[in-house]
Amino acid sequence: MAKADPNRILRLMPIAVGILGGILLLANRSLTPNLTDSQARVDALGVILSAVLILTGMLWQQVQARTPDRVQLVGEEGFELAPNLPEAVETELAWASHILLTNTVTKSLIVLYRGQVLLRRGILSPNADVKPGAILQRVLDKKKPIYLVALSVYPGRIEFDYLPENTQGVICQPIGTEGVLILAANAPRSYTKQDENWVAAIAQKLDHTLSLSFHPQGLSS
């Protein structure tokens, strides 16, 4: 549920002042029998100022409407790597996860590769067992990303019980043909197209490292 904007009255003030100023200017013009050049210039300036105030108020309303509601994700912050990973993989996973957590709205992420969780980082759910549900399985099968812009409205959200319980948005990005990068955000509709492109590039880099580091049979469980 969206929270009430505590600054709503403040955001409406420029519109109200601009409209009031325009009305007063119109009334003043109507009641003035002989209009001087200086008064005409003042009236023109007043009209411009009123228009700027109204436009500013409208822009403030749009900015507020586009600002997603952020929450504090439930869980403990952590950094978990699967045991016995090659050093090159550990380094790559640490680098990629740091980049995503510091340069996007991502607050929690998981790397699943060949059926095993290689990494969990950020705000972590108590449930560390990632069992692919219908949505995640579709990503693995189709090799195409899925962005759930507002997780709370999707019936399939229950499959993401391995993410913080109040996760607001999720990206499931394929890692080549054998893995998936799962990102959780603390605000709905918060990933931009640029973010999505950045996530895809990171996943491609991970795929290169992981495919070179593991034999075809994958990691031992």
Side-chain angles (χ1 to χ4, degrees):
M1 181 179 295
K3 296 180 180 178
D5 179 14
N7 298 317
R8 182 172 179 273
I9 301 300
L10 181 62
R11 293 178 187 278
L12 290 173
M13 282 185 64
I15 298 177
V17 173
I19 292 175
L20 178 61
I23 293 174
L24 292 176
L25 283 170
L26 180 60
N28 183 62
R29 174 67 68 89
S30 301
L31 297 174
T32 302
N34 297 316
L35 187 65
T36 64
D37 290 341
S38 60
Q39 187 175 0
R41 289 193 294 270
V42 171
D43 286 351
L45 181 59
V47 169
I48 293 173
L49 291 175
S50 296
V52 169
L53 284 170
I54 293 173
L55 180 59
T56 299
M58 293 176 66
L59 289 174
W60 281 6
Q61 296 301 312
Q62 291 180 5
V63 168
Q64 173 63 17
R66 292 175 184 174
T67 302
D69 294 324
R70 299 185 183 276
V71 301
Q72 184 70 36
L73 295 187
V74 176
E76 297 293 329
E77 189 166 355
F79 181 13
E80 299 177 357
L81 286 167
N84 304 318
L85 290 176
E87 183 178 353
V89 172
E90 289 186 348
T91 301
E92 186 82 357
L93 290 174
W95 167 81
S97 58
H98 174 74
I99 291 295
L100 291 169
L101 288 169
T102 56
N103 291 276
T104 72
V105 295
T106 303
K107 299 301 178 186
S108 179
L109 63 87
I110 294 173
V111 173
L112 182 70
Y113 194 74
R114 293 177 178 170
Q116 183 172 357
V117 175
L118 302 188
L119 167 78
R120 296 202 312 153
R121 189 171 185 178
I123 306 301
L124 305 183
S125 165
N127 178 23
D129 187 16
V130 178
K131 294 181 179 179
I135 297 174
L136 190 58
Q137 192 60 52
R138 181 181 176 185
V139 174
L140 292 167
D141 293 341
K142 301 292 185 181
K143 312 299 186 293
K144 292 183 178 180
I146 289 179
Y147 175 21
L148 306 177
V149 297
L151 188 61
S152 61
V153 305
Y154 291 94
R157 64 184 180 277
I158 58 174
E159 76 173 69
F160 294 98
D161 57 351
Y162 44 81
L163 295 176
E165 64 182 51
N166 59 338
T167 294
Q168 301 296 299
V170 172
I171 288 181
C172 299
Q173 176 70 44
I175 300 177
T177 60
E178 299 183 272
V180 62
L181 175 62
I182 307 166
L183 308 178
N186 67 337
R189 300 175 182 84
S190 52
Y191 285 105
T192 65
K193 189 61 180 177
Q194 183 177 357
D195 290 333
E196 294 180 66
N197 292 337
W198 185 237
V199 169
I202 295 292
Q204 188 174 18
K205 181 70 168 60
L206 284 174
D207 177 48
H208 177 74
T209 299
L210 294 175
S211 60
L212 290 177
S213 298
F214 298 116
H215 52 77
Q217 286 73 31
L219 292 169
S220 59
S221 23

